[in-house]
Amino acid sequence: MKKTFFVSTPIYYPSGNLHIGHTYTTTLADVMARYKKENFYEVFFLTGSDEHGQKIEQKAKENNITPKEYVNEVVETFKDLWNKLDINYDRFIRTTDEDHIIAVQKIFSFLLKKDLIYLSEYKGKYCISCEEFLTFEQMDKDFVHNVCKNVATDFQEETYMLRVSKFQKYLQDLFKTNFLVPESRKNEMLNSFINTGLEDLSVTRVSFSWGIPVLENPKHIVYVWIDALSNYITALGFGSDNTELLEKFWSEDGEILQIVGKEITRFHSIYWPILLNSLNLKTPNKLLSHGWIISGGNKMSKSLGNVIDPIELLKSYSSDAVRFYIINNLPTDRDGEWTEELFIESFNTNLANNVGNLISRVSNMIIKYFNGKLNTKLLDKNHYLVRMGLETIEKYKKLMDNYEMNAAIKEVLKLAQECNKFIEETKPWNLEKEDKLEELNETLLILQKNILIVSYLLKPILTKSYENMILQMGVNPEKVNFDSLTNNKIDFETISKKLVLFERIKK
Ligand code: MSP
């Protein structure tokens, strides 16, 4: 049986258009999904939209339309963006989907019956923009939320509460595993929430109506975060008649990776495992909590108005360029910058000058000196660059298996750099002049093989350019895989066409 891999992004609020921050998480997930497919995993990649809640209700009112009309429009722009960015998800779940609504009501009823949820009264501060109940540590003295900078509102309602406090020991044990990365976030959760008194969580609202009603008491609407977190399992059929996907992908043997931004780590590392545990489902193998894209010193966000619109960006630049910047320039364990200058510089340095230049030089020389085809018998298997190529595959796999995409791509770029350096040192054009054709063939063959490795390892990122990179080496892209690369099972055809890859971006 094939191994399975489930990967998810948060489901985003359609309270406005998506920006480059959302694009970040979704691209990470897409790259991991594609990498796993290359490793013969059966993959399920889930993304979607989080459509209920007070903020959406307000937005719809401002626009004089119903909430459903409002979200329908925005969700189309989400799908359009993912399409333009070559995001290849398996399901786009909407929390207004009928199957999701029914399943959330079942989950709520189940927890109520188990007495994990009880009726009470709650008083505190609430951030409508983030749909989050805030502790005093999350606000300044004027009750401004430190993430989105909106003022929190007073909140006092009859509400159902989830017995979060009961789960302290469970969470402490869970946090002893490496379920949450990076380590810094793990410590933050332990110190700020888990070890310092976990409070029960309000899980219904009565003061607005755009959401999923509690069956047992319909004036109560299920708290948007309980509704939203459930998407990860309702999308697979939890609470429906068909649980085939759930059994397959949310199984003990299956690998489950969830990727989120750091501001919602609390929900995914505390409340979500509690829900799963209560439903007798396994905890994800890994929760990867990444940093923010910062702009002008602040988190890039709709409410702060400092966003970069990826749709605009994709009018000027290719999806590969955007995907590349995300993986190469934004390491997940810290905050990252997005400026157009850095973006152009990274593209020119890494793709135009390093990788692109390598491919075009080598293919030009193979065409010029050998009419497009080398003698492949002349491979020096002990050459340091041949060994380095194989080692790069190993290192890359190890890092990718650990979800360290940024470190993995650095290894690939290093190999390309070494190849360029090797060209400078061996000066193949001189070998031709000196009539050392065998040596020239050997040299170019080493480079040709390594270019295949570089290109293949970039395949999950450079989805649009990949095919041309491989064709430029005279190889059928479909025949390239981890096995054929490591075991020398590649057939080279005659290279004829010169293709332009990664044209330099002019500032
Ligand atoms: N609807 C909730 C998530 C529910 S998941 C069960 C939500 N939506 S959101 O639209 O606000 O999206 C938040 C997510 O967008 C973050 O977790 C992160 O993945 C991404 N980002 C939004 N702004 C970002 C940055 N400035 N930088 C990096 N990622 C950012 O929260």
Side-chain angles (χ1 to χ4, degrees), residues 10-13 19 21-22 24-25 50 225 228-229 231-232 260-264 268 290-294 299-302:
I11 47 173
Y12 305 111
Y13 291 128
H19 60 74
H22 310 102
Y24 179 24
T25 319
D50 187 357
W225 270 98
L229 288 165
N231 95 85
Y232 301 126
V260 299
K262 66 179 176 183
E263 81 282 18
I264 58 173
H268 285 83
H290 64 71
W292 286 335
I293 297 183
I294 300 289
K299 172 181 186 255
M300 194 181 278
S301 76
K302 282 173 284 207

Side-chain angles (χ1 to χ4, degrees), residues 17-32:
N17 291 341
L18 295 179
H19 60 74
I20 207 77
H22 310 102
T23 305
Y24 179 24
T25 319
T26 305
T27 304
L28 294 174
D30 186 67
V31 168
M32 270 322 295

Side-chain angles (χ1 to χ4, degrees), residues 55-74:
K55 180 143 179 220
I56 302 284
E57 193 179 74
Q58 275 181 358
K59 279 271 170 183
K61 213 176 266 166
E62 283 165 23
N63 287 281
N64 274 323
I65 46 179
T66 65
K68 183 71 189 184
E69 282 166 346
Y70 173 77
V71 291
N72 280 350
E73 264 177 44
V74 184

Side-chain angles (χ1 to χ4, degrees), residues 170-188:
Y170 167 72
L171 290 170
Q172 283 166 337
D173 287 342
L174 174 64
F175 272 65
K176 285 182 190 139
T177 69
N178 289 323
F179 136 82
L180 170 63
V181 285
E183 190 73 18
S184 55
R185 212 85 69 216
K186 192 165 136 180
N187 294 332
E188 184 192 326

